[in-house]
Amino acid sequence: KRSLRGVMVRLDFHHIGVITPDIIESSDSFKRLSIINRFGEIHKEESQGVSIRFGVNVEGILYEIIEPLNSNSPINNALMQGKNIINHIGYVVDSIEDTILELTMEKLIRIGNPKPSKVFNNAPVQFIYTSSGMLIELIETKNPENFNLLWTI
């Protein structure tokens, strides 16, 4: 937990988001390179315009592999430019609004409004850019252990 304005907010590391034009090809590559050794199912997040798949390595680091669903996907520009392939860091927070309020000194830029995410049991997620240009995903939940991200396939 951290506090800048007297409000304690939880900002717990959750995952690293990686974008790709092809989830299957990238999953195979990560496995061959021994970066990720266990994968979940592929899920469509229509509200975000992407398909996603989670994977974990032997150290327990969780990766979210993200592929565009269509030509309107918000990750298409980054893929075409070859930028931000390591796209974002995901953090679990108790409250998106409290966290953003607490971090206002950082000059955050919200990317849209919070949206429910199916893979996070419909918990709201909010993407923000920091003043340093880092993209962060805030996942609002008090029980991240209830996320079932690594279905056996």
Side-chain angles (χ1 to χ4, degrees):
K1 292 190 179 200
R2 63 182 271 171
S3 176
L4 298 174
R5 298 178 185 264
V7 176
M8 294 299 282
V9 295
R10 177 179 65 152
L11 205 60
D12 292 338
F13 173 78
H14 189 262
H15 68 268
I16 298 168
V18 180
I19 62 174
T20 179
D22 187 318
I23 284 180
I24 299 296
E25 184 178 302
S26 291
S27 297
D28 291 345
S29 177
F30 284 138
K31 190 164 193 141
R32 281 191 308 273
L33 294 168
S34 298
I35 295 171
I36 300 173
N37 62 325
R38 196 170 127 221
F39 295 90
E41 297 174 2
I42 297 170
H43 292 273
K44 291 183 181 190
E45 282 283 359
E46 290 88 359
S47 68
Q48 303 284 346
V50 296
S51 292
I52 60 173
R53 182 182 210 185
F54 283 89
V56 67
N57 68 10
V58 294
E59 290 87 14
I61 297 173
L62 188 65
Y63 292 84
E64 179 184 25
I65 307 167
I66 311 155
E67 170 187 278
L69 267 178
N70 53 47
S71 60
N72 296 325
S73 177
I75 65 170
N76 280 333
N77 284 340
L79 281 172
M80 287 189 297
Q81 296 172 11
K83 295 181 179 177
N84 301 320
I85 302 306
I86 296 179
N87 183 256
H88 69 271
I89 307 294
Y91 291 94
V92 169
V93 298
D94 289 328
S95 165
I96 289 171
E97 294 306 318
D98 288 350
T99 301
I100 289 175
L101 180 64
E102 181 66 16
L103 302 177
T104 53
M105 294 172 58
E106 297 296 320
K107 299 178 184 169
L108 304 175
I109 299 171
R110 285 181 186 242
I111 310 301
N113 294 312
K115 295 179 182 174
S117 173
K118 290 190 294 187
V119 297
F120 296 126
N121 300 336
N122 290 313
V125 299
Q126 172 73 61
F127 285 90
I128 56 173
Y129 271 113
T130 66
S131 58
S132 64
M134 188 166 146
L135 183 61
I136 294 176
E137 179 182 22
L138 301 176
I139 307 157
E140 183 177 292
T141 184
K142 296 190 184 334
N143 301 301
E145 63 277 0
N146 291 337
F147 298 154
N148 188 11
L149 305 176
L150 293 172
W151 303 268
T152 305
I153 57 172

